[in-house]
Amino acid sequence: MSAPSPERAVTDAAPTAVAQPRPYWVALVILALLAAVAGIALYRGQAESEQRRVLVDLDNIAQLKIRQATQWRDDRLSDAGMFGRGPLLWEALRERSPRLSERAEVGVTSYLTELITQYGYARCALVDPRGRAVASVSGRDRRVDNDLGEPLAQAFAARRPIMSDLVRSADSEQAYLLLVAPVYDGVAAGSGPLGALVLWADADDLLLNAVNWWPTASRSAETLLVRRDGESVLYLNRLRRAKDAAVKLRIPLSSTEVPSVRAVLGQRGAVRGLDYSGVRVLAALHEVPSTPWILITKVDESEALAQWQRRGKLLISLVALFVVALLGAAAGVQQIQSRYVSLARATDQLR
């Protein structure tokens, strides 16, 4: 029996199995996906951390302003109580029949003028128990025509000085706070009030300047004083984005995306929402003790997070670059492995 020829042996031999390379490119793709997920998680975590930091700052500023407002209120009430106990006032009210004598009127007017000059009140008046002016002076020649009935009743019922809510002048855009101090007979203990000393405090020059002050430079940071007024929120102080809005601007309670609405509905602490002008803001909501007011410190979200957004864009860019590099490397490895397999198969066929 003759041996087969070498050519036939090569033709009839079975092809050898080509070893498959390990799929390193798959590992690179998985690594790229993990890097993308980790980058997104880091971005969101840092964004939330930055928001919390801003809200903590707003809360601290709100607490500072509340202390300032409370101290201002206590100081003004203390002044009113001290001024109202002056013997000149109760003696003049006790002896008038029914008007002050010329001598008493000169003394009272001088006393009230001194209060305006020394303590910066816009107007002072001595009134009888019905709220009718016995003597009155104004440091700015502007009258404030308000019904004193309710503030007088509150002061007489409490038997101590009280502060009214913000009121607006009848003939100007100026807002005032009324301080009403009952005047009692210094001789007849336990008698009813002879009248009251009423002081008009310029809200802009005093309380609201402290409220509007901000400790850092900011183009959008703002402090609001608001209170509920029926079925709406009433803004009490001047606003950045609304001219002549003090004691005028109202927003219905149905606008629950507005932080001031949430505040008068009972929410407290840090919130996100839309302010009175429709801008998205971060805000802190707090009550002002012993007043119907709520103090809101807020800042535009775009400004508060501007620095972080720049860092966030850099982070996302670096993560995206890393992911693209990994995917490119995976594509290159896969292409090299495919060429290796093709070359191995071609070599095997030639063999």
Side-chain angles (χ1 to χ4, degrees), residues 274-305:
L274 302 176
D275 74 354
Y276 56 87
S277 61
V279 177
R280 185 162 292 280
V281 296
L282 301 174
L285 318 177
H286 292 275
E287 294 179 353
V288 179
S290 303
T291 73
W293 305 336
I294 298 172
L295 186 140
I296 301 171
T297 50
K298 70 177 187 66
V299 64
D300 288 2
E301 190 172 311
S302 58
E303 180 187 356
L305 303 180

Side-chain angles (χ1 to χ4, degrees), residues 12 18 24 38 41 45 49 115 121-122 137 161 172 182 191 209 252 256 258 261 309-310 321:
D12 293 343
V18 177
Y24 294 111
S49 176
L115 295 183
Y121 290 101
V137 294
S172 74
S191 61
N209 276 345
T256 54
V258 180
V261 172
Q309 287 172 350
R310 289 192 292 269
L321 183 62

Side-chain angles (χ1 to χ4, degrees), residues 10-341:
V10 171
T11 302
D12 293 343
T16 59
V18 177
Q20 295 294 325
R22 295 181 179 179
Y24 294 111
W25 64 273
V26 175
L28 291 174
V29 170
I30 293 175
L31 182 59
L33 292 175
L34 291 176
V37 171
I40 293 173
L42 179 61
Y43 178 85
R44 290 181 175 176
Q46 291 295 320
E48 292 176 358
S49 176
E50 184 69 9
Q51 286 184 15
R52 286 193 297 270
R53 183 193 66 78
V54 172
L55 290 171
V56 167
D57 289 344
L58 289 174
D59 190 78
N60 291 336
I61 292 172
Q63 296 290 354
L64 172 63
K65 288 178 175 290
I66 287 173
R67 288 194 295 270
Q68 290 176 330
T70 302
Q71 185 63 49
W72 183 90
R73 177 181 178 275
D74 292 344
D75 290 345
R76 299 290 81 75
L77 289 174
S78 177
D79 287 349
M82 178 180 63
F83 301 151
R85 288 192 297 270
L88 179 66
L89 299 184
W90 61 261
E91 287 177 357
L93 287 173
R94 187 181 61 178
E95 294 174 1
R96 71 187 182 96
S97 55
R99 301 181 58 184
L100 296 180
S101 64
E102 183 177 350
R103 178 180 178 183
E105 185 174 357
V106 170
V108 171
T109 301
S110 298
Y111 181 71
L112 299 182
T113 302
E114 184 179 356
L115 295 183
I116 288 179
T117 304
Q118 297 295 325
Y119 297 93
Y121 290 101
R123 183 186 173 197
C124 300
L126 183 64
V127 300
D128 66 13
R130 295 184 180 182
R132 295 173 299 191
V134 175
S136 176
V137 294
S138 174
R140 301 188 182 181
D141 297 325
R142 291 185 299 183
R143 292 188 57 81
V144 184
D145 299 317
N146 299 293
D147 182 8
L148 295 178
E150 183 176 351
L152 277 175
Q154 293 175 357
F156 292 158
R159 299 185 66 85
R160 58 178 173 79
I162 63 98
M163 178 183 289
S164 76
D165 200 353
L166 281 166
V167 295
R168 182 180 288 277
S169 171
D171 56 358
S172 74
E173 297 299 320
Q174 189 62 50
Y176 294 91
L177 290 157
L178 301 185
L179 296 150
V180 181
V183 177
Y184 292 94
D185 194 325
V187 177
S191 61
L194 300 173
L197 173 66
V198 183
L199 306 171
W200 280 258
D202 189 328
D204 282 342
D205 288 348
L206 300 171
L207 175 62
L208 297 185
N209 276 345
V211 169
N212 289 337
W213 168 81
W214 200 265
T216 59
S218 174
R219 60 175 176 79
S220 67
E222 188 173 21
T223 304
L224 311 175
L225 274 179
V226 302
R227 66 170 173 82
R228 183 165 184 166
D229 186 34
E231 293 302 311
S232 63
V233 175
L234 177 64
Y235 288 77
L236 302 177
N237 61 321
R238 295 183 179 181
L239 308 177
R240 279 181 180 267
R241 298 189 176 104
K243 187 178 180 180
D244 298 331
V247 203
K248 282 186 177 181
L249 179 63
R250 288 175 171 81
I251 293 180
L253 297 184
S254 58
S255 303
T256 54
E257 72 280 3
V258 180
S260 58
V261 172
R262 299 185 198 176
V264 301
L265 291 177
Q267 187 170 349
R268 297 292 180 267
V271 299
R272 298 175 65 188
L274 302 176
D275 74 354
Y276 56 87
S277 61
V279 177
R280 185 162 292 280
V281 296
L282 301 174
L285 318 177
H286 292 275
E287 294 179 353
V288 179
S290 303
T291 73
W293 305 336
I294 298 172
L295 186 140
I296 301 171
T297 50
K298 70 177 187 66
V299 64
D300 288 2
E301 190 172 311
S302 58
E303 180 187 356
L305 303 180
Q307 186 175 2
W308 156 244
Q309 287 172 350
R310 289 192 292 269
R311 296 199 307 267
K313 288 179 181 178
L314 177 60
L315 173 63
I316 291 297
S317 298
L318 292 175
V319 171
L321 183 62
F322 182 62
V323 169
V324 169
L326 288 175
L327 292 176
V333 171
Q334 194 273 340
Q335 187 176 14
I336 292 173
Q337 290 183 337
S338 297
R339 289 181 179 179
Y340 168 78
V341 171

